[in-house]
Amino acid sequence: MKNLLLALISGVLLAISWPTYGIPFFIFFAWVPLLMMEHNIEKFSDIKKKKLAVFCFSYLTFLIWNFVTTGWLYNSQLPDGSKSLLAVLFPVLTNSFFMALVFTFYHIYKKSQGTYYGLVFFVAIWMCFEKLHLVWEFTWPWLNLGNVFADYHQFVQWYDTLGATGGSFWILICNVLAFYTIRIWEAGRKRKPLIKNVLMTAGFIILPMVISLVKYYNYTPESVGSINVTMLQPALDPYNEKYQKDSLTIENDLLKLASENSVLQSDKKSKIDLYLSPETSLPGPGSISERGFNNSLLINNIKGFLSQHPQSVFSGGISSHYVYKEGEEKPSTASYLDRLGIWVDEYNSAIQIIPNQQPEVYHKAMLVPGVEIFPYIKVFKPILGDAMLDLGGTTRSLGVSEERKVFANPYNKSVIAPIICYESIYGEFVTGYVKKGANLLTIVTNDSWWGYSQGHKQLLDYAKLRAIETRREIARAANSGTSAHINSRGDIVDDLPYGAKGALTAKVNLIDKETFYTKSGDFLSRICLFVIGALLLFIPGRKYLTRKK
């Protein structure tokens, strides 16, 4: 019962730390009860299957954390309009399983090599686990620990140096120190070591926040100019209107919003330089052929609109496809359409449209598992068949761009990063746009799959971390909200509420200086990978030295 209670406490502390409803400061102690549970089982329990016990108790902890923080996934709808139970069960149960497995690995190593090496292993393996969640096809970094301060970004301004992965490292170290402080007290009941360790733990927690607040209040962006942006928010129902309404009607409504907001609201004399539409805002049903961009009525209508607004550019999200000619090399994501006898690749894309120029296009590279990509299709499709979630998009894996791409504006100095929805969760990934020359981050997204829930709020807050890491301002256009202008300190300067139909205009600064994090990326995760290797190699080495002695 004591171990069960400790597991429950950790689960609750992790859950109530999370944005956008929680208080993140609980995170510095959230792991301590779980670490104590593992220690109790290892040292004092007469349970025969200790590894299984650690796995089960930790699974309960992570189940609480995952369910409370991402339970909003249940709002996803199936094609018949019913709630998708699979949309919440699969990620919650699977991610909790992976987390419990990683924690059990820590238990096994600690039992073999002792507490000190075990705690080092714990920090390193969890960092490696979070890095894995950023790169593999089951990618789900929503609960990476560094995200916890997204709603309190004033306390993590040093993310421009170490990124959100640095935040994960900080949180893990503080929890280990807190746990170690308790163990020192339990072992010796001596006041001096207790005071020393309490002060050290408090220092590790408080000092980075003090440094961050100093940076926050003294930060001055080095702008190389500014542009005026209109972020369009059509507020289409993603399950019905978006994929059933006529494409020209959808576009006309979008261009009407743009026309009504063709000057800066704060300065009626300032024209708009960039019109930004949400993810897959066009065409509605179907997709646009990339072979036929020049002949597309939808794209030519936008060019006609831009001809009435000289030196303005349109960028946003579209659904597109590419038809392969006979003999043309096809990627693994291409599908054969029997009824048409053609091979085709489908994309979730960002496009830039300028009159008298060929449209530029970028294909979303970080795809949502189970919705836009069938993870490890060669392994699981024979087992699962076509069991993917259909959220009005596709039940096949989409094609991707292998490298980041940026859109340069010929009329001014702006170079935008066309970040598409889910991609905004990935810190090192986003720096790839900046390395290509982006001086402004644009995010096009459709967060309305989950209704008015924590889902769209958390995704908006995670974008604030990308602004800090790269020190770039963000223009964010969302289908149903929240469209927002975020400055390079992570502050939301202005926004358009969820569910509102309209447009948000903003004057955004262009910044071209690269941060240390942009240059180095998640180097702490790479160091931890080497640490894991060294600790594993240490086991046979230690056994050899013991035998020799």
Side-chain angles (χ1 to χ4, degrees):
M1 288 303 296
K2 180 180 179 181
N3 292 327
L4 175 62
L5 181 61
L6 289 170
L8 289 172
I9 292 172
S10 263
V12 171
L13 288 175
L14 287 165
I16 65 175
S17 299
W18 219 253
T20 58
Y21 55 83
I23 301 173
F25 307 103
F26 288 115
I27 201 72
F28 295 116
F29 312 101
W31 289 88
V32 175
L34 194 63
L35 293 169
M36 292 174 65
M37 176 276 295
E38 184 279 332
H39 184 77
N40 289 341
I41 290 176
E42 181 195 341
K43 297 295 184 182
F44 309 119
S45 175
D46 56 359
I47 298 174
K48 292 182 179 179
K49 296 182 179 180
K50 293 186 177 183
K51 289 189 283 289
L52 180 61
V54 169
F55 176 85
C56 291
F57 282 123
S58 61
Y59 189 80
L60 176 61
T61 294
F62 299 130
L63 200 61
I64 294 169
W65 182 21
N66 278 264
F67 181 76
V68 173
T69 53
T70 58
W72 44 264
L73 287 165
Y74 180 64
N75 290 326
S76 303
Q77 295 180 20
L78 295 171
D80 63 3
S82 62
K83 299 289 186 181
S84 176
L85 187 61
L86 182 62
V88 66
L89 283 182
F90 183 78
V92 167
L93 296 177
T94 304
N95 200 42
S96 300
F97 174 82
F98 290 143
M99 288 177 166
L101 199 61
V102 170
F103 193 79
T104 305
F105 288 155
Y106 150 68
H107 163 72
I108 294 169
Y109 189 89
K110 176 172 170 281
K111 186 176 181 180
S112 168
Q113 301 302 312
T115 300
Y116 300 111
Y117 291 112
L119 290 174
V120 174
F121 186 84
F122 165 67
V123 173
I125 196 171
W126 199 267
M127 290 289 292
C128 291
F129 168 68
E130 289 197 350
K131 184 61 179 176
L132 177 66
H133 252 333
L134 291 165
V135 296
W136 69 333
E137 289 185 9
F138 279 114
T139 176
W140 184 241
W142 206 273
L143 297 184
N144 282 11
L145 293 170
N147 294 336
V148 75
F149 276 92
D151 208 26
Y152 288 72
H153 60 282
Q154 299 90 341
F155 295 99
V156 289
Q157 293 293 306
W158 50 267
Y159 276 17
D160 62 359
T161 304
L162 297 179
T165 52
S168 296
F169 187 78
W170 174 43
I171 290 163
L172 290 167
I173 291 293
C174 290
N175 274 275
V176 165
L177 288 173
F179 168 70
Y180 185 72
T181 299
I182 293 172
R183 286 296 305 124
I184 288 292
W185 172 250
E186 288 180 341
R189 302 285 176 174
K190 294 180 180 179
R191 185 175 298 178
K192 189 174 180 180
L194 175 66
I195 295 172
K196 176 184 174 182
N197 283 281
V198 166
L199 291 175
M200 184 168 62
T201 304
F204 268 87
I205 294 172
I206 296 170
L207 185 59
M209 291 193 285
V210 172
I211 292 171
S212 179
L213 289 172
V214 171
K215 286 173 70 76
Y216 179 80
Y217 289 109
N218 290 278
Y219 172 74
T220 303
E222 298 178 15
S223 172
V224 294
S226 63
I227 62 169
N228 300 324
V229 182
T230 289
M231 291 152 270
L232 305 172
Q233 187 166 299
L236 287 173
D237 177 83
Y239 295 102
N240 299 305
E241 281 185 293
K242 189 172 176 63
Y243 294 104
Q244 295 176 12
K245 208 171 184 179
D246 177 74
S247 299
L248 287 174
T249 302
I250 290 174
E251 182 182 56
N252 289 338
D253 288 345
L254 203 64
L255 293 181
K256 183 181 178 182
L257 281 177
S259 181
E260 292 170 350
N261 295 272
S262 57
V263 294
L264 197 64
Q265 292 169 355
S266 60
D267 181 2
K268 300 300 183 181
K269 296 181 180 180
S270 298
K271 71 174 188 66
I272 297 301
D273 300 297
L274 172 66
Y275 294 93
L276 190 66
S277 72
E279 180 186 19
T280 60
S281 53
L282 294 172
S287 59
I288 301 173
S289 171
E290 295 192 4
R291 284 193 177 276
F293 274 163
N294 292 329
N295 300 317
S296 169
L297 178 60
L298 295 172
I299 290 178
N300 286 329
N301 284 344
I302 293 174
K303 287 185 176 181
F305 167 80
L306 292 174
S307 66
Q308 301 171 26
H309 300 84
Q311 296 191 333
S312 294
V313 170
F314 185 96
S315 182
I318 64 168
S319 297
S320 66
H321 68 268
Y322 183 88
V323 178
Y324 292 91
K325 294 181 178 179
E326 189 174 349
E328 195 172 6
E329 186 178 353
K330 298 176 285 293
S332 60
T333 52
S335 301
Y336 185 72
L337 303 183
D338 290 318
R339 60 188 179 85
L340 299 176
I342 59 173
W343 284 90
V344 64
D345 230 345
E346 295 178 295
Y347 309 102
N348 184 346
S349 306
I351 193 170
Q352 177 168 275
I353 301 172
I354 302 172
N356 304 317
Q357 290 190 25
Q358 178 73 16
E360 293 184 78
V361 67
Y362 163 76
H363 304 134
K364 184 179 181 182
M366 299 305 296
L367 303 177
V368 181
V371 180
E372 297 174 318
I373 182 174
F374 199 129
Y376 302 104
I377 189 168
K378 292 181 180 179
V379 177
F380 292 107
K381 188 161 187 178
I383 303 170
L384 300 176
D386 292 320
M388 292 182 67
L389 305 178
D390 184 359
L391 302 185
T394 180
T395 54
R396 294 189 295 272
S397 294
L398 300 182
V400 300
S401 288
E402 295 298 331
E403 294 184 3
R404 307 296 72 72
K405 188 173 182 179
V406 296
F407 297 153
N409 191 318
Y411 307 122
N412 52 55
K413 295 180 179 180
S414 67
V415 181
I416 68 171
I419 303 165
I420 304 174
C421 190
Y422 195 55
E423 293 181 331
S424 63
I425 309 175
Y426 299 82
E428 189 174 56
F429 177 90
V430 169
T431 66
Y433 295 103
V434 177
K435 291 175 182 176
K436 292 278 188 178
N439 51 27
L440 171 64
L441 305 184
T442 62
I443 298 174
V444 297
T445 184
N446 181 9
D447 304 341
S448 47
W449 301 113
W450 319 300
Y452 189 78
S453 67
Q454 289 299 317
H456 77 274
K457 296 178 184 179
Q458 289 172 352
L459 190 57
L460 170 64
D461 272 2
Y462 291 165
K464 293 154 68 175
L465 303 181
R466 307 292 84 81
I468 296 168
E469 288 171 340
T470 61
R471 291 301 182 190
R472 295 293 187 271
E473 295 206 0
I474 295 176
R476 186 180 194 266
N479 173 43
S480 293
T482 302
S483 297
H485 169 210
I486 303 172
N487 67 20
S488 53
R489 294 194 308 180
D491 303 318
I492 296 178
V493 179
D494 199 5
D495 62 23
L496 198 60
Y498 184 90
K501 181 177 180 179
L504 177 69
T505 64
K507 183 176 183 179
V508 298
N509 292 314
L510 309 175
I511 302 171
D512 61 4
K513 186 177 179 181
E514 289 191 6
T515 64
F516 181 83
Y517 178 72
T518 298
K519 297 174 183 176
S520 62
D522 296 329
F523 76 94
L524 280 176
S525 298
R526 291 187 282 274
I527 291 174
C528 287
L529 185 61
F530 283 109
V531 171
I532 287 290
L535 288 172
L536 292 176
L537 289 173
F538 177 72
I539 297 174
R542 190 177 185 183
K543 287 181 178 178
Y544 171 76
L545 291 174
T546 301
R547 284 198 299 269
K548 189 175 180 181
K549 184 177 179 180

